[in-house]
């Protein structure tokens, strides 16, 4: 049975389960009594608004109807009775959005311990942890923010998350593995487990103030969620600057609001992944579209494109060679006609069979016979006195 306990300085009552109530709940849920939890840390100090916000977040994400705490006798159905069919919704009736997980998928106030130099344990206490493998969520850490603390205080939690995810332990085979893997299954994605912040501004924080708070928290935690950029080299299209983000040491940090979860449900576009820049569904928000696999897909696309271009060029060359083999050889151009001899008007090359050794050199104006005749003529008086002068061509 629940027992009320008033929070100091407030009029809000916090209801707790008695030990018998915890035993009954553990029996129904099939969980050990030690995992049933108790009063959320700080609930009495703050009047339980944070604990109530965590409960509302669990209800908004799960969206499962309440089940009876005691077995209900099953009524006998007539043998000839036809199976009952679900009634169709009335026109205009909006069905409730589907949730993720069930009440047994949650653990609240989960401590993530960190070793310190003084030997004690200090870390972060997760508000709620969801394990819903049927929704492809091996583990999801949930932080509920009532916007009562500063953005610096909120951002400092994720540095502790990162330190916890860095902790290593040795398995029975002697190799090291993350400590968180000893408690939770692998996420199947690159990087650390995802962490989501559910903002619950209520009436204390307006829309613009909430937006500023989200932007501030995102900037303060950039080193936690951004990953490291690497310029890829050696692939196809090396002249293009391309690369990828390595999320091996990054925490997928997601933002949402309680009213969005309550209104639309967790399976709609109510999640804002830091670095994506838009509201997305949870699978899209947890994906890494700029990681090495995405770069490899782009590189493969470039390789296929270059192979297609190379094949197309080879086909063009083959078609050009085929045209060359089918075209006839061009006819030789006729030799230009030589000018006739100025003296005899015959071919300037002269008749065939003349001996070039006894013919004067060509002057470009006379044939060999005329050149010989001109050489053998008697010189004139002027030529005898001044000598023969060769005429210009």
């Amino acid at each position: 049975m629940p027992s009320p306990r008033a929070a100091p300085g407030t009029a809000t009552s916090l209801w707790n389960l008695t030990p018998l109530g915890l035993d009954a709940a553990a029996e129904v849920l099939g969980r050990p009594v030690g995992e049933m939890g108790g009063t959320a840390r700080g609930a009495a100090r703050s009047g339980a608004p944070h604990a109530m916000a965590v409960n509302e977040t669990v209800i908004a994400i799960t969206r499962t109807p309440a089940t009876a705490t005691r077995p209900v006798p099953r009524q006998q159905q007539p043998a000839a009775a036809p199976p009952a069919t679900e009634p169709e919704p009335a026109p205009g009736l909006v069905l409730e959005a589907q949730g993720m997980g069930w009440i047994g998928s949650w653990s609240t106030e989960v401590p993530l311990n960190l070793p310190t130099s003084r030997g004690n344990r200090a870390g972060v206490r997760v508000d709620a942890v969801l394990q819903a493998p049927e929704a492809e969520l091996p583990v999801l850490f949930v932080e509920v923010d009532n916007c009562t603390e500063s953005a610096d205080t909120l951002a400092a939690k994720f540095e502790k998350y990162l330190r916890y995810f860095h902790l290593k332990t040795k398995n029975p085979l002697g190799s090291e593995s993350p400590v968180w893997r000893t408690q939770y299954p692998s996420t199947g994605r690159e990087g650390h487990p995802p962490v989501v912040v559910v903002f619950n501004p209520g009436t204390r924080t307006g829309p613009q103030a909430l937006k500023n708070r989200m932007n501030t928290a995102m900037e303060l935690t950039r080193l936690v969620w951004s990953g490291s950029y690497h310029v890829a080299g050696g692939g196809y299209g090396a002249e293009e600057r391309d690369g990828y983000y390595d999320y091996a040491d990054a925490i997928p940090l997601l933002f949402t609001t309680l009213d969005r979860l309550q209104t639309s449900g967790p399976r709609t576009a109510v999640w804002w992944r830091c670095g994506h820049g838009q509201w997305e569904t949870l699978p899209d928000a947890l994906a890494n579209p700029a990681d090495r696999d995405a770069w490899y897909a782009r590189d493969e696309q470039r390789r296929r494109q270059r192979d297609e271009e190379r094949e197309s060029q080879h086909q063009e060359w083959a078609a050009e060679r085929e045209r060359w083999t089918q075209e006839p050889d061009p006819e030789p151009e006729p030799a230009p006609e030589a000018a006739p001899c100025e003296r005899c008007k015959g071919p300037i090359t002269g008749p065939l069979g003349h001996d070039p050794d006894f013919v004067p050199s060509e002057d470009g104006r006379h044939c060999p016979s005329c050149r010989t005749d001109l050489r053998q003529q008697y010189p004139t008086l002027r030529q005898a006195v001044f000598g023969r002068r060769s005429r210009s061509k």
Side-chain angles (χ1 to χ4, degrees), residues 181-390:
R181 285 292 310 276
T182 62
Q183 301 176 351
Y184 306 102
S186 173
T187 61
R189 300 180 178 89
E190 186 181 16
H192 303 304
V195 180
V196 57
V197 180
V198 181
F199 291 91
N200 179 35
T203 58
R204 300 173 299 275
T205 306
Q208 186 59 42
L210 177 60
K211 183 178 179 180
N212 295 338
R213 182 177 180 83
M214 288 183 176
N215 290 333
T216 303
M218 184 169 56
E219 289 299 326
L220 293 176
T221 57
R222 180 173 295 274
L223 296 179
V224 173
W225 54 261
S226 61
S228 57
Y229 185 77
H230 298 269
V231 178
Y236 288 91
E239 69 279 359
E240 303 177 4
R241 178 178 175 84
D242 195 6
Y244 61 91
Y245 281 91
D246 184 4
Y247 295 99
D249 194 26
I251 299 177
L253 183 58
L254 285 69
F255 290 166
T256 188
T257 58
L258 182 57
D259 59 342
R260 287 177 180 269
L261 291 174
Q262 293 173 337
T263 303
S264 303
R267 294 184 179 269
T268 58
V270 297
W271 309 93
W272 184 283
R273 167 78 177 271
C274 292
H276 285 196
Q278 60 184 351
W279 296 100
E280 300 172 305
T281 60
L282 190 56
D284 293 339
L286 293 178
N288 297 321
D291 60 358
R292 182 178 179 85
D293 293 338
W295 170 84
Y296 182 77
R298 293 194 302 271
D299 195 57
E300 283 295 308
Q301 178 65 24
R302 288 191 291 266
R303 182 189 62 82
R304 289 191 295 268
Q305 182 178 358
R306 280 163 174 74
D307 290 345
E308 293 174 359
E309 294 176 354
R310 189 179 297 109
E311 181 64 23
S312 177
Q313 190 176 29
H314 288 169
Q315 293 177 0
E316 293 179 359
W317 290 347
E320 189 69 18
R321 287 194 299 268
E322 184 68 20
R323 287 197 302 269
W324 291 346
T325 57
Q326 294 179 359
E327 291 181 355
D329 295 336
E331 296 181 358
E333 296 182 359
E337 296 181 359
C341 177
E342 293 182 358
R343 185 167 178 266
C344 66
K345 305 303 181 182
I348 198 171
T349 57
L352 298 177
H354 66 273
D355 191 353
D357 296 336
F358 299 96
V359 178
S361 59
E362 297 181 0
D363 57 1
R365 299 169 59 195
H366 303 93
C367 63
S369 299
C370 292
R371 292 199 303 272
T372 303
D373 293 344
L374 293 174
R375 175 67 63 86
Q376 294 176 356
Q377 289 181 354
Y378 292 104
T380 62
L381 179 61
R382 181 180 181 86
Q383 292 175 347
V385 174
F386 299 100
R388 294 178 181 270
R389 293 185 299 176
S390 61

Side-chain angles (χ1 to χ4, degrees), residues 16-56:
N16 296 326
L17 290 176
T18 61
L20 293 179
L22 288 175
D23 292 340
E27 180 181 356
V28 172
L29 298 178
R31 300 175 61 181
V33 179
E35 294 183 2
M36 295 308 299
T39 304
R41 181 172 57 91
R45 180 172 62 253
S46 60
H50 184 266
M52 294 174 63
V54 173
N55 292 337
E56 293 176 0

